[in-house]
Amino acid sequence: MVSREHKRAALYEKLQLLRSITNSHALNQTSIIVDASKYIEELKQKVEKLNQDIANATSSHDQNQLPVVTVETLEKGFLINVFSEKSCPGLLVSVLEAFEELGLNVLEARVSCAESFRLQAVGGENEEEGEGIDAHAVKQAVAVAIKSWSESTEQE
């Protein structure tokens, strides 16, 4: 009896862990497993999209070496990633100006500009601005900022 109760308790504990990892609100075992399966599929799609972005960046790397931009929609705002294998002096200012033009407030950011350029920022919409923006508009605005930054550095 003790081993059966022990196994049942261990299974319950593992299901609760799975439930918390997948942000599931389900109460029964079947629903928790279905939610976990959906979560795994979402992760697979994200990995596939990132691999495509990397492949596109690698193929375009030889052409123009512009930084790669990815934008992901969060509950309240966006996660914006900008990466370049080389240092990009002045690019941070251009990207932040694009955020300002969109009405995005930088809520949190990590930047590295030493040997490569990496920006990871969480941007939230300015609540005073009534209009909503989507991830595509953010990515497009950052890409335009990168392109104009690139053109201005080529002229120097």
Side-chain angles (χ1 to χ4, degrees):
M1 275 299 217
V2 175
S3 68
R4 180 180 279 176
E5 288 299 318
H6 180 68
K7 287 179 183 179
R8 184 175 289 161
L11 177 61
Y12 177 80
E13 200 173 304
K14 289 177 182 175
L15 280 170
Q16 292 308 310
L17 179 62
L18 183 61
R19 181 176 176 229
S20 68
I21 289 171
T22 60
N23 294 323
S24 173
H25 299 293
L27 298 176
N28 65 32
Q29 289 179 322
T30 306
S31 297
I32 292 171
I33 293 170
V34 167
D35 287 348
S37 176
K38 289 177 184 176
Y39 181 74
I40 290 169
E41 285 303 314
E42 288 174 13
L43 290 177
K44 285 180 180 178
Q45 288 175 354
K46 284 183 181 180
V47 167
E48 191 175 306
K49 184 182 180 311
L50 289 173
N51 284 337
Q52 287 175 349
D53 288 347
I54 290 170
N56 291 341
T58 305
S59 65
S60 67
H61 176 72
D62 299 331
Q63 297 168 3
N64 56 14
Q65 297 184 341
L66 287 177
V68 178
V69 180
T70 59
V71 178
E72 188 176 321
T73 303
L74 302 175
E75 190 174 318
K76 291 186 177 182
F78 304 96
L79 173 63
I80 301 111
N81 288 294
V82 180
F83 174 76
S84 175
E85 291 181 6
K86 60 181 183 170
S87 179
C88 301
L91 179 59
L92 179 60
V93 173
S94 297
V95 172
L96 292 176
E97 287 173 347
F99 289 175
E100 190 175 332
E101 289 173 14
L102 283 172
L104 279 181
N105 294 325
V106 177
L107 305 174
E108 183 181 326
R110 281 183 237 147
V111 181
S112 172
C113 303
E115 294 176 14
S116 63
F117 180 87
R118 180 178 301 269
L119 166 66
Q120 184 177 45
V122 175
E125 290 185 64
N126 189 344
E127 294 186 15
E128 295 171 3
E129 313 257 334
E131 57 195 67
I133 52 176
D134 64 354
H136 180 71
V138 174
K139 184 173 182 173
Q140 200 169 23
V142 173
V144 167
I146 290 171
K147 186 170 183 182
S148 48
W149 164 83
S150 174
E151 290 169 355
S152 70
T153 57
E154 286 176 4
Q155 292 175 357
E156 292 176 4

